[in-house]
């Protein structure tokens, strides 16, 4: 019988870390480690340094430390992290904050949101977090006590996209390792770390579980960490299947990026709720409670005048217009702008309207430049009462009526820029040009293009 050499827990940590990291990163990737100074993140830094020195892949490694300002020792922890990174020749960025919470708010949740706000500013491929197996189990238990659904109970994945439409990912390469093994690793390698005194405060739910509940649980069920972690994987698979069902329903209910109210009503209540939850999760908002989600769905299934429907969730606004449901940023109601004079520039950024106007010259198209010559050209918001005549075969009419006929939702009408020549309305975004200002055949005209939800100049084609 061949001799088999057992792998020590320390070697297992290194092997697990190298495997989880090696599966994700590619040569040239930029990695930022979230360094608190605690034992978990110190071990993470040590392993990352070892990985970068032993692998053939070239990676850019740096660290970030968030000083929340909660503890009296915050500045000492920042100094410790700076010394640690100096020794490892790793650049460190320190962000100093002053965290405060409102009544009924969780200090832990407020601090996490403050960190994530900083993470959103990071230019990198991955942010490495030091969460481990005990954190995973604690998260599962907290979610159970909050009555979370399948997705909440599936806890933390090793890697996930940080925000939709971005490439930045959160990576937790120690997620399969128990805290006790991380501590052994740190002691074996004579690592130093700081200790947050608040970790002993059992008024925090997570600390109460860690110090009061789990020690008793371990006496009766020594393998509870791996067992409960296995449950999170099963729940993750169930959540995945629910997402796949939602994607199937999207194919039958979405029209041009908007959700069909009629299609939503055809689904039974539970399936419709799953679809709505999935669409909200894709927007990366803080999901509402099950009761609030059900209330939104009930209102959507029973609304009569859909133009009046408005529901705010976190930083998102749900609106409905002509049977189509839209998910908008809650700050999408732009401000009016004071008249802006156009001096002939190619691009004009309209901050309050959250967009950019582009002016280009084309033959046989656009606004008659001759009629704009020697006149003051201004860009304004709607103020009400404007009249417009895009078709000379039809009489001049109320701009409000024209926008309604064009099926432009009321909340979008407020964001449309209008171009005036002196006091004459010449051009309306999304509608067109006043018939008396259209470029005659054989002439060069000014084509105006509106780029909404954009603050930078459009890229050249």
């Amino acid at each position: 019988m061949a001799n088999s050499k057992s792998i020590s827990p320390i070697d297992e940590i290194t092997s697990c870390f190298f495997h989880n990291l090696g599966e994700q990163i590619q040569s040239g990737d930029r990695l930022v480690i979230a360094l608190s100074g605690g034992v978990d993140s110190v071990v993470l830094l040590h392993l990352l340094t070892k990985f970068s020195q032993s692998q053939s892949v070239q990676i850019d490694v740096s660290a970030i430390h968030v000083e929340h300002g909660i503890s009296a020792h915050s500045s000492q922890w920042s100094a410790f992290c700076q010394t640690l990174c100096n020794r490892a020749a790793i650049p460190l960025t320190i962000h100093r904050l002053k965290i405060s919470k409102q009544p009924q708010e969780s200090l832990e949740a407020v601090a996490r949101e403050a960190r994530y706000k900083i993470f959103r500013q990071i230019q990198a491929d991955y942010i490495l977090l030091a969460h481990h197996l005990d954190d995973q189990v604690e998260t599962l238990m907290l979610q159970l006590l909050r009555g979370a659904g399948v997705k909440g109970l599936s806890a933390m994945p090793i890697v996930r996209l940080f925000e939709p439409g971005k490439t930045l990912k959160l990576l937790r390469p120690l997620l399969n390792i128990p805290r006790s093994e991380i501590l052994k690793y740190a002691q074996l390698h004579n690592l130093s770390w700081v200790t947050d005194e608040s970790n002993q405060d059992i008024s925090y739910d997570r600390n109460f579980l860690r110090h009061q509940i789990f020690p008793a649980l371990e006496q009766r069920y020594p393998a509870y960490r791996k067992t409960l972690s296995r449950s999170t994987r099963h729940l993750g698979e169930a959540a995945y299947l629910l997402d796949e069902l939602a994607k199937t329903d999207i194919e039958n209910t979405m029209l041009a990026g908007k959700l069909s109210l009629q299609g939503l009503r055809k689904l039974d209540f539970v399936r419709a709720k799953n679809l709505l939850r999935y669409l909200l999760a894709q927007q990366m908002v803080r999901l509402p409670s099950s009761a609030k989600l059900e209330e939104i769905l009930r209102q959507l299934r029973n609304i009569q005048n859909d133009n009046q429907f408005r529901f705010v969730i976190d930083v998102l606004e749900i609106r409905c217009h002509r049977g189509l449901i839209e998910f908008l940023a809650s700050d999408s109601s732009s401000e009016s702008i004071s008249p802006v004079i156009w001096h002939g520039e190619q691009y004009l950024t309209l901050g309050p309207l959250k967009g950019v106007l582009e002016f280009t010259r084309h033959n046989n198209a656009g606004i008659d430049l001759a009629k704009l010559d020697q006149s003051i050209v201004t860009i304004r918001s709607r103020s009400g009462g404007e009249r417009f005549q895009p078709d000379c075969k039809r009489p001049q009419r109320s701009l409000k009526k024209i926008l309604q006929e064009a099926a432009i939702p009321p909340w979008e009408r407020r964001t449309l820029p209008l171009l005036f020549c002196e006091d004459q309305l010449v051009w309306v975004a999304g509608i067109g040009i006043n018939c008396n200002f259209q470029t005659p055949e054989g002439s060069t005209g000014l084509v105006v293009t509106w780029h909404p939800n954009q603050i930078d100049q459009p890229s050249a084609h």
Side-chain angles (χ1 to χ4, degrees):
M1 189 176 197
N3 291 328
S4 61
K5 185 179 179 181
S6 61
I7 301 175
S8 73
I10 302 305
D11 290 338
E12 193 173 343
I13 289 179
T14 303
S15 176
C16 180
F17 178 87
F18 276 40
H19 172 76
N20 287 339
L21 209 61
E23 273 201 332
Q24 297 297 329
I25 68 165
Q26 298 177 356
S27 189
D29 279 350
R30 294 166 297 171
L31 279 61
V32 177
I33 176 173
L35 185 65
S36 68
V39 63
D40 307 326
S41 66
V42 167
V43 167
L44 182 64
L45 179 66
H46 189 268
L47 285 164
L48 182 58
T49 303
K50 187 189 298 186
F51 180 89
S52 64
Q53 292 171 349
S54 65
Q55 301 296 303
S56 57
V57 292
Q58 297 296 315
I59 54 175
D60 181 351
V61 177
S62 61
I64 182 172
H65 174 77
V66 180
E67 183 182 309
H68 294 100
I70 299 172
S71 170
H73 306 293
S74 293
S75 60
Q76 297 173 29
W77 300 341
S78 296
F80 170 81
C81 290
Q82 187 67 68
T83 300
L84 199 65
C85 288
N86 289 345
R87 288 174 183 166
I90 290 176
L92 172 70
T93 303
I94 298 175
H95 293 266
R96 292 179 171 85
L97 308 175
K98 281 292 181 183
I99 299 295
S100 60
K101 71 181 187 73
Q102 301 299 320
Q104 310 304 317
E105 279 187 330
S106 159
L107 185 61
E108 186 182 33
V110 172
R112 182 175 60 250
E113 181 54 39
R115 285 196 302 276
Y116 276 34
K117 188 174 182 180
I118 291 170
F119 288 174
R120 292 185 184 98
Q121 304 168 16
I122 293 176
Q123 300 296 315
D125 297 290
Y126 293 94
I127 296 177
L128 270 62
L129 304 175
H131 293 125
H132 45 66
L133 188 59
D134 291 65
D135 291 321
Q136 182 78 293
V137 173
E138 289 164 9
T139 300
L140 171 64
M141 188 63 72
L142 287 169
Q143 293 289 64
L144 277 169
L145 293 170
R146 292 167 186 155
V150 172
K151 188 172 287 292
L153 296 176
S154 60
M156 298 177 286
I158 287 179
V159 62
R160 76 167 175 86
L161 195 64
F162 185 48
E163 285 187 319
K166 304 290 178 64
T167 58
L168 179 64
K169 295 178 182 178
L170 299 182
L171 179 59
R172 301 177 175 93
L174 297 177
L175 199 57
N176 301 326
I177 306 297
R179 177 187 286 115
S180 59
E181 298 303 331
I182 290 174
L183 186 59
K184 288 177 185 176
Y185 180 98
Q187 292 168 340
L188 181 71
H189 289 88
N190 297 314
L191 302 182
S192 300
W193 61 89
V194 298
T195 301
D196 186 344
E197 70 278 4
S198 70
N199 288 339
Q200 303 302 316
D201 185 353
I202 61 172
S203 66
Y204 294 111
D205 290 341
R206 190 175 288 272
N207 290 340
F208 175 74
L209 291 174
R210 186 179 300 167
H211 298 299
Q212 300 289 322
I213 303 301
F214 288 136
L217 197 62
E218 187 166 24
Q219 289 183 1
R220 183 66 178 258
Y221 307 100
Y224 81 91
R225 293 176 182 84
K226 290 187 177 179
T227 304
L228 292 181
S229 179
R230 187 163 65 245
S231 293
T232 67
R233 290 196 297 272
H234 294 326
L235 289 161
E237 291 172 1
Y240 169 79
L241 292 175
L242 288 173
D243 284 351
E244 291 300 299
L245 178 62
K247 290 175 185 177
T248 299
D249 289 336
I250 281 174
E251 294 177 2
N252 301 317
T253 57
M254 297 293 282
L255 300 169
K258 300 176 184 178
L259 177 61
S260 164
L261 185 58
Q262 182 181 5
L264 184 70
R265 287 171 172 171
K266 285 181 179 178
L267 299 174
D268 66 55
F269 195 83
V270 173
R271 191 160 170 172
K273 186 167 72 167
N274 180 62
L275 173 59
L276 194 56
R277 184 187 292 112
Y278 175 81
L279 291 171
L280 290 172
Q282 293 305 295
Q283 302 286 334
M284 293 289 190
V285 299
R286 188 179 292 110
L287 292 179
S289 66
S290 185
K292 188 170 183 179
L293 194 64
E294 289 174 5
E295 177 59 25
I296 296 169
L297 191 54
R298 273 193 290 269
Q299 290 191 28
L300 282 170
R301 290 162 76 100
N302 294 304
I303 54 177
Q304 302 299 319
N305 184 351
D306 63 7
N307 280 358
Q308 303 303 315
F309 182 84
R310 179 176 178 269
F311 214 110
V312 176
I313 299 173
D314 195 19
V315 295
L316 202 67
E317 189 174 289
I318 303 176
R319 303 296 296 257
C320 195
H321 179 63
R322 296 196 176 187
L324 293 176
I325 302 165
E326 289 190 65
F327 300 92
L328 309 165
S330 58
D331 63 350
S332 59
S333 299
S334 301
E335 310 166 20
S336 296
I337 59 169
S338 302
V340 177
I341 298 177
W342 179 63
H343 296 287
E345 55 267 58
Q346 184 178 355
Y347 297 106
L348 194 58
T349 300
L350 303 176
L353 297 187
K354 301 180 178 67
V356 176
L357 280 174
E358 182 178 7
F359 301 87
T360 53
R361 286 167 170 73
H362 292 271
N363 292 328
N364 305 318
I367 303 169
D368 187 354
L369 281 166
K371 292 192 174 182
L372 298 183
D373 192 33
Q374 304 302 317
S375 301
I376 297 176
V377 176
T378 56
I379 313 300
R380 310 179 199 172
S381 301
R382 284 186 64 214
S383 58
E386 296 91 356
R387 300 184 68 78
F388 195 52
Q389 189 179 12
D391 185 352
C392 286
K393 295 178 182 177
R394 300 186 65 182
Q396 190 179 67
R397 293 184 299 148
S398 157
L399 178 58
K400 179 180 178 180
K401 184 68 175 175
I402 293 172
L403 293 171
Q404 287 174 341
E405 290 177 356
I408 297 175
W411 54 90
E412 287 186 17
R413 297 172 203 165
R414 296 192 298 270
T415 70
L416 296 177
L418 313 181
L419 186 145
F420 286 79
C421 179
E422 303 295 350
D423 292 324
Q424 176 73 51
L425 179 55
V426 173
W427 172 88
V428 178
I431 300 298
I433 303 168
N434 183 308
C435 67
N436 294 311
F437 280 80
Q438 292 170 4
T439 300
E441 188 71 24
S443 300
T444 299
L446 180 70
V447 174
V448 186
T449 307
W450 173 233
H451 300 279
N453 303 314
Q454 190 168 313
I455 57 172
D456 298 317
Q457 296 179 1
S459 300
H461 297 293

